[in-house]
Amino acid sequence: MQEAASAARLGTILRHLCPRTGAAALTAFPTSAQIASVKHPVEFHYTLDNNILTPEQRHFYDENGYLLIKNLVSGEDIERFRNQFAKICKKEVQVPGLIIMRDVAIAKSEFVLDQKAVTKVQDFQEDEELFRYCTMPQILKYVECFTGPNIMAMHTMLINKPPDSGKKSSRHPMHQDLHYFPFRPADHIVCAWTAMERIDRSNGCLVVLPGTHKGSLKQHDYPDWEGGVNKMYHGVRDYNKNLPRVHLVMEKGDTVFFHPLLIHGSGMNRTQGFRKAISCHYASAGCHYIDVKGTSQENIEKEVVEIAQRKYGGSTPITLKDTWMVRGRLVKGERTNL
């Protein structure tokens, strides 16, 4: 009798708590074990909160240090960049501060004014047409996920990887881009790299070591290659060569965003064509400059300063910071520091 009365009272209480659906409704709520299995919000370390990247994309970048976005730049825009590059190579346009680089295997050979003699142009921030790449809204909306709303374009390149001469000089050694940058924090720097045609292993696609962005900046030097190494093509001195590699096959207009500590490089161009890509390194305007003296970056500072002094002359001492301050251009938001 007592048990029956207790059951009746419990039924009455349950009906008051859930008057429409009765006691059965309570069983729809998770038990403590079920609650424990519910996934809590993930803490992302390498991207900022945004409404552009999906949680899956943020997780992938966190784990791997790069993110590939398909078909981000139109074919029409890429053709405009190609045409402007051709004009620069023929010296039909003069761009202040632009650096034109040639492959070590052909640098001293005879050539006409043509893109076949040029492997890369960099620092094109004063060229209105090429710099338009750095200001594209569809690129900046992704960049902001890494840098925040105040965005500086710091380093610009159009790469024209030549057919390899047989000396393997068209390779780019495995390296970390942060080696060249005297500004921090690294997590607020990102590169946007866009394929200007189909790029695969035959013409020297990017090769990345996923997850290496979680490590530190390593010592870089010129690799000991028999065929010679192009100017400024420093490589990581010591890294685990058994780490898994990913070869990024990309179609025209695809864009990869990657962290400046990610170890990456590219192989030889075994085709007869020139493999083109355009890129920009962005940084938060809130980043700050550092003094690289006494660090692993001392060797790149020495090399850059020597080139700058030969180019511009003068007896005033120049630092790596000085060479970067003239390159940076605001592309979105407010210039707060850099």
Side-chain angles (χ1 to χ4, degrees):
M1 289 292 291
Q2 187 174 357
E3 290 179 1
S6 297
R9 283 196 299 273
L10 179 59
T12 301
I13 293 171
L14 290 176
R15 281 192 297 275
H16 281 296
L17 291 173
C18 303
R20 294 183 181 178
T21 54
L26 290 184
T27 62
F29 290 92
T31 65
S32 59
Q34 289 173 315
I35 291 173
S37 68
V38 172
K39 292 182 179 179
H40 294 282
V42 177
E43 183 179 351
F44 297 106
H45 297 283
Y46 297 98
T47 55
L48 303 173
D49 290 341
N50 62 85
N51 59 0
I52 302 299
L53 301 179
T54 66
E56 291 78 15
Q57 287 174 320
R58 295 184 71 182
H59 178 72
F60 186 91
Y61 188 87
D62 254 33
E63 291 301 310
N64 297 283
Y66 70 94
L67 182 66
L68 178 61
I69 304 297
K70 303 292 289 182
N71 196 30
L72 194 60
V73 179
S74 72
E76 179 183 354
D77 282 318
I78 287 174
E79 289 310 305
R80 288 178 57 178
F81 300 146
R82 280 179 172 274
N83 292 337
Q84 186 68 4
F85 175 68
K87 290 179 181 178
I88 290 172
C89 294
K90 294 176 182 177
K91 295 192 175 181
E92 294 177 7
V93 294
Q94 298 289 331
V95 182
L98 183 79
I99 297 175
I100 297 178
M101 303 178 72
R102 296 179 175 87
D103 189 277
V104 65
I106 61 174
K108 296 180 180 179
S109 63
E110 292 184 9
F111 56 85
V112 295
L113 294 176
D114 184 80
Q115 58 182 296
K116 290 182 179 179
V118 176
T119 60
K120 182 191 294 186
V121 295
Q122 64 180 30
D123 299 337
F124 59 66
Q125 66 273 6
E126 298 301 326
D127 184 274
E128 183 178 348
E129 178 57 39
L130 291 185
F131 192 73
R132 193 170 58 81
Y133 168 80
C134 307
T135 65
M136 287 183 158
Q138 69 267 41
I139 290 179
L140 292 180
K141 75 175 184 179
Y142 283 100
V143 171
E144 188 170 348
C145 301
F146 308 98
T147 64
N150 300 315
I151 307 173
M152 296 288 294
M154 298 300 294
H155 183 229
T156 52
M157 290 190 300
L158 194 153
I159 304 154
N160 188 45
K161 185 188 281 283
D164 197 83
S165 65
K167 296 185 177 182
K168 302 181 181 180
S169 57
S170 67
R171 293 177 294 174
H172 198 302
M174 302 299 281
H175 65 284
Q176 297 165 297
D177 290 339
L178 193 66
H179 170 66
Y180 298 92
F181 304 153
F183 42 89
R184 302 290 189 275
D187 292 347
H188 290 168
I189 304 169
V190 71
C191 180
W193 196 98
T194 299
M196 295 178 67
E197 58 206 295
R198 177 178 168 83
I199 297 177
D200 54 30
R201 296 186 70 169
S202 68
N203 59 4
C205 63
L206 284 179
V207 182
V208 300
L209 304 186
T212 50
H213 67 300
K214 299 178 183 180
S216 59
L217 180 60
K218 298 181 177 294
Q219 179 72 38
H220 286 62
D221 296 296
Y222 281 109
D224 186 18
W225 287 353
E226 291 182 6
V229 185
N230 287 309
K231 193 71 174 174
M232 297 287 187
Y233 279 31
H234 292 190
V236 175
R237 176 188 289 176
D238 184 32
Y239 67 96
N240 184 357
K241 294 179 174 59
N242 294 319
L243 289 173
R245 299 185 173 203
V246 173
H247 294 80
L248 297 182
V249 175
M250 300 170 66
E251 300 295 336
K252 182 178 179 179
D254 291 354
T255 301
V256 61
F257 297 88
F258 59 90
H259 192 281
L261 281 172
L262 181 73
I263 297 177
H264 66 287
S266 63
M268 288 184 292
N269 180 1
R270 295 182 173 87
T271 71
Q272 295 305 305
F274 286 73
R275 187 272 270 163
K276 289 182 175 62
I278 187 168
S279 73
C280 179
H281 281 91
Y282 299 89
S284 165
C287 286
H288 60 275
Y289 286 102
I290 64 167
D291 184 354
V292 301
K293 287 183 173 55
T295 74
S296 66
Q297 292 178 263
E298 230 175 353
N299 60 347
I300 191 65
E301 178 177 52
K302 181 180 178 181
E303 193 168 343
V304 169
V305 166
E306 286 176 354
I307 292 172
Q309 287 180 328
R310 284 201 305 268
K311 186 173 182 179
Y312 300 108
S315 57
T316 304
I318 300 174
T319 66
L320 188 60
K321 171 185 174 180
D322 295 330
T323 67
W324 281 100
M325 288 182 69
V326 299
R327 296 173 176 176
R329 283 187 60 182
L330 184 72
V331 290
K332 188 174 183 180
E334 183 181 355
R335 189 166 189 169
T336 58
N337 198 20
L338 282 184

